[in-house]
Structure formats: C-alpha cells, structure tokens
Amino acid sequence: NVCEGVDVPQVRREDMRPLNAEQARRLLRSASGERLEAFYVLAVHTGMRPGELLGLRWEDVTLSDEGGTLQLNRALSDGELATPKTKGSRRRIRLSAGSAKALKAHRRRQLEEMMHKSGLWQDYGLVFPSGVGTPLSHRNVVRSFKALLKHADLPPSVRLYDLRHTCATLLLSRNVHPKYVQELLGHASISQTLDTYSHVIEGMDGGLTDAIDEALG
C-alpha cells in the first residue's frame, strides 16, 4: 500500500490563553457600559464562538424574569449568515442570570440606538449588529476586544476566541461534568472536550496516583 509510506501531517493545536476567574472579572468590569458589553458577557458565560454570537438574532432569544434561553441556529462566517455545519452546533443554551441581565440591558440600549438612527438603521434582527443594524465585522470586534484588553491591563496575546476557552476552563475547574460542558460548547463528542481541555485544567489527570493508593492502601 503506497499510502503506508506517507507521513500524515499533524494537526496543530492553537495555543490556548484562557483567562482565569480574576482576569475574566476584570475584563467584564472594563467592558461595563461598552456597546459590546453583552457580547463579552455572553462569550464568557456561554462559550459561544464569535461567529455564533455575531449571527444571533433576537428571534432566537427568550428572556424572562427567571433568566432566559437562546437557540443557536446560525453563525456569521465571511460576512454571510449560514446554518452551523454540525448538528451539535445547533443547540439550545440556558442563560445564566448574569448573561440574561446583560442581554436585557443591551436590548434597551439597542432600541434607543434604533430610534436615534431611524433613517439609517437596517433591521436584520441581529443581537450584535453594526452601528446601523447590518452584520458586524469580525475584524471590528477583534479591534474593540484588543482595546478592551489594554484597558483591563490583560495580556495582548489573548484572542477573542479565548473567551470560549475561558468559559470551558472555568466550568471544568468548578467540577462541572464534561458532558454538560460539551453540550454547552456544541462539541461533537465528549472526547473532543476532554482532549481540548484536559491539559490546561489542574486535577484533570483524574487523581490516578491517589486513587490507586487509596484502593490498595
């Protein structure tokens, strides 16, 4: 078999730079009052991908006095709204109290913005649109995020996508079962979640040495 002599290229894993709990709190405090405050809150609280947040519509969001939920049906990719490629990516997310509160405040600010720009606003129904209602450029969000990192005195090497990793590592470090983290993130399998995060979470070696000592002690 000629294929046996072919070297299979290794998949390069991007270095993760998740924020710890104190850094995440500092980031969100610095984002308070910003136009994209709710974007950053949801990124940290739900682990949604940037494109998923940018493709979110208000019709996908249900808010109530108790909290709320959102249904992830699409993502913004290369300036186009498209349905997620995998079944797992199309998921329902239950909102934390903090993310629901941020969304409610964001909705009020957006309605005021729509009134002030009534002649310019193009209503795509997006939760996080541009200043005139159209899909928001990922590049512009990254630019805003880098400015936020500087204001919060956080490492400039942190990427926007690292907020997704921040959500996962914070949950796993609080002993949330990986299965629930997998479903929240929309991973295809629990093995993907464990393979991605086991090396960055203290104690995710399963406590093997202590366990065997206790079993045989």
Side-chain angles (χ1 to χ4, degrees), residues 107-122:
R107 181 57 173 163
R108 289 192 296 269
R109 286 196 295 265
Q110 189 179 98
L111 290 173
E112 293 176 358
E113 189 175 24
M114 291 171 66
M115 291 177 62
H116 292 151
K117 299 180 179 179
S118 58
L120 299 173
W121 192 270
Q122 301 178 53

Side-chain angles (χ1 to χ4, degrees), residues 84-119:
K85 296 179 180 179
T86 64
K87 182 179 179 181
S89 294
R90 295 189 292 272
R91 60 198 187 276
R92 182 174 178 269
I93 295 177
R94 185 176 178 181
L95 296 172
S96 63
S99 56
K101 180 181 178 181
L103 269 180
K104 291 174 183 176
H106 178 73
R107 181 57 173 163
R108 289 192 296 269
R109 286 196 295 265
Q110 189 179 98
L111 290 173
E112 293 176 358
E113 189 175 24
M114 291 171 66
M115 291 177 62
H116 292 151
K117 299 180 179 179
S118 58

Side-chain angles (χ1 to χ4, degrees), residues 35 53 55 58-59 61 72 80 113 129 131 133 135-136 155 174 201:
R35 185 175 186 273
L53 286 162
W58 285 111
E59 66 186 38
V61 180
L72 207 157
E80 300 290 335
E113 189 175 24
L136 182 59
R174 299 287 292 179
I201 300 293

Side-chain angles (χ1 to χ4, degrees), residues 15-80:
D15 290 336
M16 277 186 269
R17 301 174 181 85
L19 303 175
N20 60 35
E22 175 52 36
Q23 289 175 321
R25 284 192 289 266
R26 196 191 315 165
L27 179 85
L28 297 181
R29 283 197 300 267
S30 296
S32 179
E34 295 283 336
R35 185 175 186 273
L36 289 177
E37 176 185 356
F39 181 99
Y40 300 122
V41 172
L42 258 68
V44 172
H45 281 237
T46 69
M48 291 172 66
R49 301 173 179 91
E52 293 171 340
L53 286 162
L54 292 175
L56 190 65
R57 284 192 171 123
W58 285 111
E59 66 186 38
D60 306 321
V61 180
T62 301
L63 295 172
S64 64
D65 293 338
E66 293 75 29
T69 59
L70 60 84
Q71 180 65 43
L72 207 157
N73 294 317
R74 69 192 63 78
L76 187 70
S77 178
D78 296 325
E80 300 290 335

Side-chain angles (χ1 to χ4, degrees), residues 12 24 36 65 79 97 102 116 153 165-166 190:
R12 182 177 178 271
L36 289 177
D65 293 338
H116 292 151
D153 195 23
H165 297 318
T166 296
I190 193 171

